[in-house]
Amino acid sequence: MKGIIILTACVKPGQMVYTELQDTAERLKQYKAALKYYLTHTRFKIIFCENSNTDFSNEFSGYIREGRLEYLVFNGNCFDRNLGKGYGEAIILKHIYTHSLLLKECDYTIKITGRIIVDNLGDVLKQLGYIKRTRFIICDANCKLTAAPSKLIIAYKDFYPDFFFAKAERINDSAHFTFEKALAAAIKEMKKHRGSYTLFATYPIYTGISGTNNLPIRNHSRIERKLKYILHKIGIWGRT
């Protein structure tokens, strides 16, 4: 299977509800650092999509010319601030699926929040060798599969148009229907259609700052990660 990295970005959130990290200079610095990391530490082609009309593609023009990087930028951050950043991220994904050329080349996507670095991405992706079904998703959902964090999502290419986008129309952070809840609902729907859902066998180790609370992302301990995966494999974690 051939994969592609999708990095979602919003440099200028504009007083978005539940978004503490508002400093645009700091956000821009983090996006550039993460993009550079994935370009230099992986061999994947990358789609970087920014929804507040912030274009710094000239700094990565060499990668764009060689076809390694597709930089998409658009004015997609003009919605009601109360809907929240999850609504904005869904818009970014829709834009990618409408406009990306690189997306046509892949079988699966590695969606990463654009300011975050997954230090052990190569180890995490080894799990793909054990995936048997055409429809699949690997992510870090909670025990009852009512919410699934979106920092890193590995899924077959058409998961979003097949199942997620219909759920994403309801995203409203102020009404407590977040991107994470829409994602979990989409996973449940996919499972009804013989799709495979699993947790990470090797849990991601993140470096980055949470946009929600402007604090460093907490990584679970190795014991926590292993226990969670064992509970999932025996059918306790993520049962619906």
Side-chain angles (χ1 to χ4, degrees), residues 4 47 70 72 96 98-106:
I4 199 163
I47 302 168
E70 183 176 33
L72 302 176
I96 290 170
T98 301
H99 298 282
S100 173
L101 297 177
L102 283 186
L103 191 65
K104 299 174 183 178
E105 302 179 10
C106 75

Side-chain angles (χ1 to χ4, degrees), residues 6-13 16 27-32 34-35 47-56 70-77 79 85 87-93 95-96 111-116:
I6 291 175
L7 299 178
T8 57
C10 178
V11 174
K12 304 172 184 175
M16 193 81 68
R27 293 176 70 92
L28 180 59
K29 177 182 176 182
Q30 292 174 13
Y31 283 126
K32 290 180 181 180
L35 177 54
I47 302 168
F48 182 92
C49 189
E50 204 285 332
N51 77 335
S52 64
N53 262 346
T54 303
D55 189 350
F56 55 89
E70 183 176 33
Y71 191 109
L72 302 176
V73 59
F74 69 110
N75 184 22
N77 198 34
F79 53 86
K85 63 183 184 298
Y87 185 85
E89 185 163 28
I91 289 176
I92 292 172
L93 288 171
H95 187 85
I96 290 170
K111 201 289 297 179
I112 307 173
T113 300
R115 295 178 300 99
I116 294 173

